[in-house]
């Protein structure tokens, strides 16, 4: 066993994974429900040899400079857009993430949103709860079909492909667009009845879907985003929904998160938003915690992280 290190964990983890860290190292857990404010994060990180962070923490050069003893970062996520990987690499700090284990859970949420927006489930549920459930009528609650339609996957990584498999099971034709394969994005947008976003957020993919792209979609088509809020221009989405340029949208991710309850986006029609729960199953989050701990135990023992982010 190497020297005992001090690890800052930026949120309580509801699983036993931290016990393995505690067996070898000192663990400082930020126990609050809300993330540590940036100044507090800097102060606590300054006492640490390693960080176990969430997507809510901005980990950048300024943080590393304030915390010169930090020599490893494990993010409890597959996405690393909250981390300046270049700043970490310049300082020789390895960064780990949690790929693979959240593929199915996230694909399930994408497909749940797809079905829910097409079949207007949240609107129907509101009618029931608010006492507006009228006797059955032939023209009530009509939504879009799923079987026999075309599912366009933007980003052809693990999660995009897992959503495609679900689409095949529902009798959909699958098309995709990515940097290295598939159709040009414009063609996908014009052909798809459902567009599901699965690209990481990078400077290149910020607002990948904006007003111009939404205008290319069919007025009967639906947009699903379980990737990152910043991939989609939300102002353009609101305008497209209000103008009836697309039929509806389902979002698990927004910018910012949490989305304030009075955000104008929420007044757009045919929109379902859930609070970034793509990976939120007991098994998935528990595996993510294990992977993050494995990454830190390896790095603090001077070994390569088993799940490096780059
Ligand atoms: C991720 O892992 O990047 C998700 O967005 C959070 O689970």
């Amino acid at each position: 066993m190497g020297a005992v290190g001090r690890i800052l964990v930026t949120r309580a983890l509801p699983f036993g994974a931290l016990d393995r860290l505690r067996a070898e190292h000192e663990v400082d857990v930020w126990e609050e429900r809300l993330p540590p404010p940036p100044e507090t994060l800097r102060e606590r990180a300054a006492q640490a040899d390693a960080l176990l962070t969430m997507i809510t923490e901005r980990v950048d050069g300024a943080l590393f400079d304030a915390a010169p003893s930090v020599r490893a970062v494990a993010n409890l996520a597959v996405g690393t857009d909250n981390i300046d990987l270049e700043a970490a690499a310049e300082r020789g700090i390895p960064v780990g993430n949690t790929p693979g284990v959240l593929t199915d859970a996230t694909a399930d949420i994408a497909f749940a949103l797809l079905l829910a927006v097409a079949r207007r489930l949240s609107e129907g549920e509101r009618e029931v709860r608010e006492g507006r459930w009228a006797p059955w009528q032939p023209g009530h609650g009509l939504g879009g079909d799923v079987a026999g339609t075309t599912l366009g996957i933007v980003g052809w990584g693990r999660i995009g492909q897992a959503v495609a498999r679900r689409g095949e099971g529902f009798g959909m034709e699958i098309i995709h667009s990515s940097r290295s394969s598939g159709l040009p994005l414009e063609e996908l947008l014009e052909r798809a009845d459902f567009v599901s976003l699965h690209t990481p957020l990078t400077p290149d993919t910020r607002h990948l879907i904006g007003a111009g792209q939404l205008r290319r979609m069919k007025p009967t088509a639906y947009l699903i985003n379980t990737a990152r809020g910043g991939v989609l221009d939300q102002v353009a989405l609101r305008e497209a929904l209000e103008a009836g340029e697309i039929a509806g949208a389902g979002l698990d991710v927004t910018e910012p998160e949490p989305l304030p309850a009075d955000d104008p986006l929420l007044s757009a029609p045919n929109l379902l938003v859930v609070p970034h729960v793509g990976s939120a199953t007991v098994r998935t989050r528990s595996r993510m915690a294990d992977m993050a701990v494995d990454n830190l135990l390896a790095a603090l023992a001077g070994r390569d992280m088993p799940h490096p982010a780059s």
Side-chain angles (χ1 to χ4, degrees):
M1 192 168 91
V4 173
R6 191 171 161 85
I7 299 157
L8 172 62
V9 182
T10 61
R11 214 68 46 77
L13 303 185
F15 317 102
L18 289 186
D19 296 346
R20 290 193 295 126
L21 271 188
R22 286 196 180 98
E24 296 187 30
H25 299 285
E26 276 176 43
V27 178
D28 172 23
V29 180
W30 175 258
E31 297 278 356
E32 307 293 320
R33 200 173 69 83
L34 297 179
E39 207 182 302
T40 311
L41 177 64
R42 275 198 297 279
E43 283 165 17
R44 300 275 276 258
Q47 313 297 316
D49 299 302
L51 309 176
L52 198 166
T53 49
M54 317 292 129
I55 56 171
T56 45
E57 277 71 70
R58 178 84 200 130
V59 180
D60 56 12
L63 180 67
F64 291 134
D65 291 344
S69 52
V70 166
R71 55 181 202 274
V73 177
N75 210 32
L76 191 84
V78 67
T80 49
D81 47 288
N82 60 310
I83 299 184
D84 184 338
L85 293 177
E86 251 175 53
E90 279 164 13
R91 292 161 177 80
I93 299 173
V95 175
N97 66 344
T98 65
V101 293
L102 43 74
T103 300
D104 283 317
T106 308
D108 286 345
I109 281 290
F111 220 80
L113 286 169
L114 182 156
L115 292 171
V117 292
R119 301 306 303 274
R120 301 169 61 174
L121 293 191
S122 60
E123 195 183 319
E125 205 235 10
R126 277 198 301 275
E127 281 179 14
V128 174
R129 287 184 185 279
E130 292 167 10
R132 294 184 286 109
W133 184 1
W136 192 93
Q137 312 163 37
H140 171 249
L142 304 185
D145 276 299
V146 172
T149 64
T150 299
L151 171 57
I153 307 280
V154 179
W156 198 233
R158 289 185 191 87
I159 300 173
Q161 294 184 37
V163 174
R165 286 194 293 279
R166 283 155 179 75
E168 279 165 5
F170 275 74
M172 304 174 90
E173 184 199 343
I174 311 299
I175 55 179
H176 80 271
S177 173
S178 78
R179 268 187 316 181
S180 53
S181 67
L183 303 174
L185 178 61
E186 288 70 24
E187 188 181 338
L188 177 142
L189 295 169
E190 285 163 12
R191 281 179 50 187
D193 299 297
F194 295 87
V195 174
S196 192
L197 305 180
H198 301 287
T199 58
L201 178 62
T202 67
D204 288 344
T205 62
R206 172 161 291 282
H207 290 190
L208 178 71
I209 304 295
Q213 289 70 29
L214 290 162
R215 227 167 274 134
R216 283 185 181 264
M217 289 175 63
K218 301 177 190 179
T220 50
Y222 299 87
L223 181 70
I224 308 300
N225 189 8
T226 54
R228 283 292 183 265
V231 174
L232 173 63
D233 177 344
Q234 283 174 192
V235 174
L237 174 65
R238 174 169 56 87
E239 288 168 359
L241 288 168
E242 280 167 356
E245 284 172 3
I246 65 171
L251 311 178
D252 181 43
V253 289
T254 61
E255 197 172 66
E257 290 180 8
L259 190 67
D262 61 356
D263 190 289
L265 177 66
L266 292 174
S267 58
N270 305 326
L271 173 71
L272 171 56
V273 185
V274 294
H276 203 147
V277 289
S279 65
T281 73
V282 174
R283 187 179 65 183
T284 300
R285 288 280 168 83
S286 158
R287 286 178 171 176
M288 290 166 70
D290 279 333
M291 289 170 87
V293 166
D294 290 342
N295 277 337
L296 289 182
L297 288 176
L300 289 173
R303 299 191 308 271
D304 288 344
M305 286 186 171
H307 316 289
S310 53

